[in-house]
Amino acid sequence: MSRALTISASVGFLLAVMGFTPVFAQKADKYEKYLTTADSTQVTGFKGVELSESTQSSSTGHLYFSNKEGKQILKVKFYRASLYKKDEATKQGLVKGEVKGIGEDAYYGPNADMPYILSFKKGEFYVELSTIFNKDNVKDGKLQLFLTMEQLKALGKTIASRIENPKQ
């Protein structure tokens, strides 16, 4: 099993064990206002980006975006802000670096050659964006990700800009 896949499985397991459940377990369409297919198309450059069937059948705060071939390229998960635990993630090697200018606090990871997760907190939300490896794109003997970290950051900024600040 590849290191990235092992890390991905570990992150998923950790989130499940620690009780990380999507915000209020509401239908995904509540979250579509934060990131649209048009936003995803503009930032990624992929034509024909759509919300996948996984989003439409989900009763959670997850959005799944697929390219025109139906391959998932982006996952966006919405959690309660209280579940944002950067210190714990750092201890577990899941943080590669801080990100400025997105939400109240943000980081990317895991601490590997090719980080593929961007997490941030803003208002009532902890948001996690992730991409996956594209098995059809190999460069220098390494699988490449569908999206770059810069693209994840641009998408994160879009989402954060649409989340209302908590009432003072």
Side-chain angles (χ1 to χ4, degrees):
M1 184 181 291
S2 75
R3 177 171 164 72
L5 188 55
T6 301
I7 290 171
S8 179
S10 298
V11 169
F13 179 75
L14 176 67
L15 291 174
V17 167
M18 295 178 71
F20 285 81
T21 54
V23 174
F24 315 124
Q26 295 180 4
K27 285 202 57 78
D29 58 0
K30 172 185 177 187
Y31 303 98
E32 291 176 28
K33 66 183 177 184
Y34 299 114
L35 190 68
T36 66
T37 55
D39 299 325
S40 298
T41 298
Q42 180 180 5
V43 170
T44 66
F46 287 113
K47 304 293 183 220
V49 173
E50 295 184 356
L51 283 170
S52 71
E53 286 184 31
S54 299
T55 295
Q56 295 158 359
S57 65
S58 176
S59 63
T60 64
H62 297 348
L63 300 175
Y64 302 94
F65 293 89
S66 299
N67 63 14
K68 67 181 177 184
E69 289 83 28
K71 294 180 182 176
Q72 191 177 99
I73 60 170
L74 172 67
K75 272 192 260 191
V76 182
K77 298 178 181 180
F78 293 84
Y79 300 100
R80 290 181 182 91
S82 63
L83 297 175
Y84 184 80
K85 310 245 189 262
K86 183 169 66 175
D87 291 340
E88 287 179 31
T90 300
K91 289 177 191 173
Q92 305 221 358
L94 302 176
V95 176
K96 184 159 183 141
E98 305 256 341
V99 178
K100 301 291 182 202
I102 302 176
E104 299 158 25
D105 190 49
Y107 66 90
Y108 68 98
N111 193 5
D113 289 341
M114 297 181 79
Y116 55 91
I117 298 172
L118 172 71
S119 299
F120 72 89
K121 178 175 75 167
K122 182 167 181 195
E124 68 178 296
F125 294 112
Y126 153 33
V127 181
E128 180 182 280
L129 296 90
S130 61
T131 189
I132 61 171
F133 287 94
N134 178 354
K135 68 178 182 158
D136 298 325
N137 185 1
V138 178
K139 184 177 179 182
D140 298 326
K142 291 183 178 181
L143 283 173
Q144 301 300 300
L145 297 167
F146 274 104
L147 305 180
T148 66
M149 186 53 61
E150 291 309 311
Q151 289 171 316
L152 289 178
K153 288 176 184 177
L155 293 166
K157 284 181 182 180
T158 298
I159 294 168
S161 74
R162 294 177 181 164
I163 294 174
E164 292 182 25
N165 285 320
K167 294 181 175 54
Q168 305 289 328

